């Protein structure tokens, strides 16, 4: 369930994978539901005295070193990845998207080709097996997309980000008053506008995890969150006699699960520890 793209080897072999088993060692690669997109030089797969086993549903821009021989492997095929390369497409890490609707990776995979590595989610945390009814699945496949990125059908995906979070404390007549301010930006990174109301709640926490005992600071109601139109708010909260140094401000996006989202795993956003 991986995407290897644009890696190169100056020696001309193994730009993507070089499996080296020389010297009596045991070197084995199993590969399934993976995109291999060759770089400027080197092959997607090179093998020297090791073993390479295809578990099917792979897509290679070159011949895959002759190892991708399962009936559902696609070789000498352009995966049609986003030419911009690694981008922020939602989730905790950058990913390389596939171009829609033309990529041959769409709906041609199977998420559990290697049982121990099976996952219901792609690299972003978005649900796997988003099956397009207009695209026939590969034989025996489950409608997953090949690679690390699953193309989503029309759905909302709410998340957010913090910036410029600071705490300013003042001692007035032996009473410590602390003001926490920052910029909170909430986004819909999905493919469909969220037209129902949703609530984001903000908590003060002693750690970077949202727990039952965390202190609710305030709530914001969003009547709509449209794709590509982020909502920027100035966060400001007077903590009274509480010095929050070393603590965290946590936003729980769509806290009541009012919106059905593509990805429910990117709704807790942490800022801190506070100075």
């Amino acid at each position: 369930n991986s995407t290897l793209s644009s890696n190169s080897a100056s020696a001309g072999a193994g730009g993507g994978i070089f499996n080296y088993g020389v010297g009596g060692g045991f070197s084995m690669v199993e590969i399934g539901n993976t995109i291999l997109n060759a770089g400027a030089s080197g092959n997607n797969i090179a093998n020297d005295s090791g073993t390479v086993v295809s578990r099917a549903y792979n897509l290679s821009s070159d011949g895959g070193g002759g190892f991708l021989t399962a009936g559902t492997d696609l070789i000498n095929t352009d995966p049609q990845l986003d030419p911009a390369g690694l981008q922020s497409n939602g989730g905790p890490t950058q990913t390389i998207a596939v171009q829609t609707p033309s990529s041959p990776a769409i709906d041609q995979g199977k998420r559990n080709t290697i049982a121990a590595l099976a996952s219901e989610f792609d690299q972003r945390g978005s649900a796997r097996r988003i099956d397009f009814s207009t695209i026939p699945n590969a034989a025996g496949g489950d409608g997953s997309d090949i690679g690390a990125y699953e193309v989503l059908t029309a759905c909302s995906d709410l998340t957010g980000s913090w910036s410029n979070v600071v705490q300013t404390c003042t001692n007035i007549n032996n009473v410590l008053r602390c003001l926490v301010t920052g910029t909170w930006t909430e986004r819909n990174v999905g493919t469909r506008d969220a037209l129902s109301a949703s609530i984001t709640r903000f908590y003060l926490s002693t750690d970077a995890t949202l727990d039952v005992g965390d202190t609710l600071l305030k709530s914001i109601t969003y009547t709509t969150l449209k794709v590509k139109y982020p909502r920027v708010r100035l966060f400001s909260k007077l903590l009274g006699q509480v010095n929050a140094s070393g603590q965290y401000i946590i936003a729980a996006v769509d806290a009541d699960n009012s919106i059905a989202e593509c990805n429910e795993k990117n709704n807790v956003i942490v800022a801190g520890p506070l100075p």
Side-chain angles (χ1 to χ4, degrees):
N1 300 325
S2 300
T3 298
L4 283 70
S5 181
S6 300
N7 297 301
S8 295
S10 59
I17 296 172
F18 182 58
N19 188 37
Y20 187 71
V22 174
F26 181 74
S27 178
M28 181 176 180
V29 171
E30 296 180 68
I31 182 169
N33 205 61
T34 287
I35 290 176
L36 297 163
N37 188 40
S41 64
N43 305 320
N44 279 326
I45 303 176
N47 182 63
D48 189 347
S49 304
T51 302
V52 178
V53 178
S54 171
R55 296 304 182 193
Y57 303 95
N58 299 295
L59 193 163
S60 178
S61 62
D62 63 11
F67 298 103
L68 305 182
T69 56
T72 52
D73 286 335
L74 300 172
I75 60 173
N76 298 311
T77 301
D78 181 358
Q80 297 187 35
L81 301 177
D82 183 351
L86 285 167
Q87 299 290 310
S88 179
N89 295 309
T93 61
Q94 291 186 327
T95 50
I96 304 177
V98 299
Q99 298 183 67
T100 56
S102 58
S103 173
I106 298 173
D107 284 6
Q108 300 307 296
K110 189 175 183 181
R111 53 167 283 283
N112 60 349
T113 55
I114 300 175
L117 301 179
S119 176
E120 297 290 343
F121 304 96
D122 73 356
Q123 184 175 328
R124 298 165 297 167
S126 298
R128 278 283 189 193
R129 294 184 286 180
I130 304 298
D131 196 354
F132 290 87
S133 60
T134 56
I135 301 176
N137 294 347
D142 62 9
S144 297
D145 297 344
I146 301 173
Y149 181 97
E150 184 82 6
V151 175
L152 304 178
T153 54
C155 52
S156 303
D157 184 7
L158 309 186
T159 188
S161 60
W162 288 103
S163 60
N164 304 318
V165 177
V166 297
Q167 178 180 219
T168 304
C169 294
T170 304
N171 193 322
I172 301 177
N173 297 326
N174 294 320
V175 176
L176 187 66
R177 297 185 179 276
C178 296
L179 178 67
V180 175
T181 60
T183 300
W184 168 252
T185 303
E186 191 148 333
R187 297 179 175 86
N188 182 350
V189 297
T191 55
R192 181 172 64 189
D193 294 341
L195 301 180
S196 301
S198 64
I199 296 174
T200 296
R201 296 192 176 99
F202 300 88
Y203 296 86
L204 181 67
S205 177
T206 57
D207 55 29
T209 303
L210 182 58
D211 303 308
V212 174
D214 292 340
T215 302
L216 177 64
L217 298 177
K218 64 190 302 183
S219 299
I220 295 177
T221 298
Y222 293 91
T223 54
T224 61
L225 272 170
K226 295 186 176 182
V227 177
K228 297 183 180 180
Y229 290 94
R231 304 278 287 277
V232 181
R233 301 281 186 96
L234 177 64
F235 178 89
S236 179
K237 182 64 179 180
L238 182 64
L239 300 180
Q241 299 183 47
V242 178
N243 180 356
S245 294
Q247 298 191 73
Y248 300 79
I249 302 293
I250 300 180
V253 177
D254 190 29
D256 294 335
N257 295 317
S258 303
I259 307 296
E261 299 181 66
C262 310
N263 180 10
E264 299 286 359
K265 291 191 170 185
N266 60 349
N267 287 8
V268 177
I269 317 297
V270 180
L274 294 173

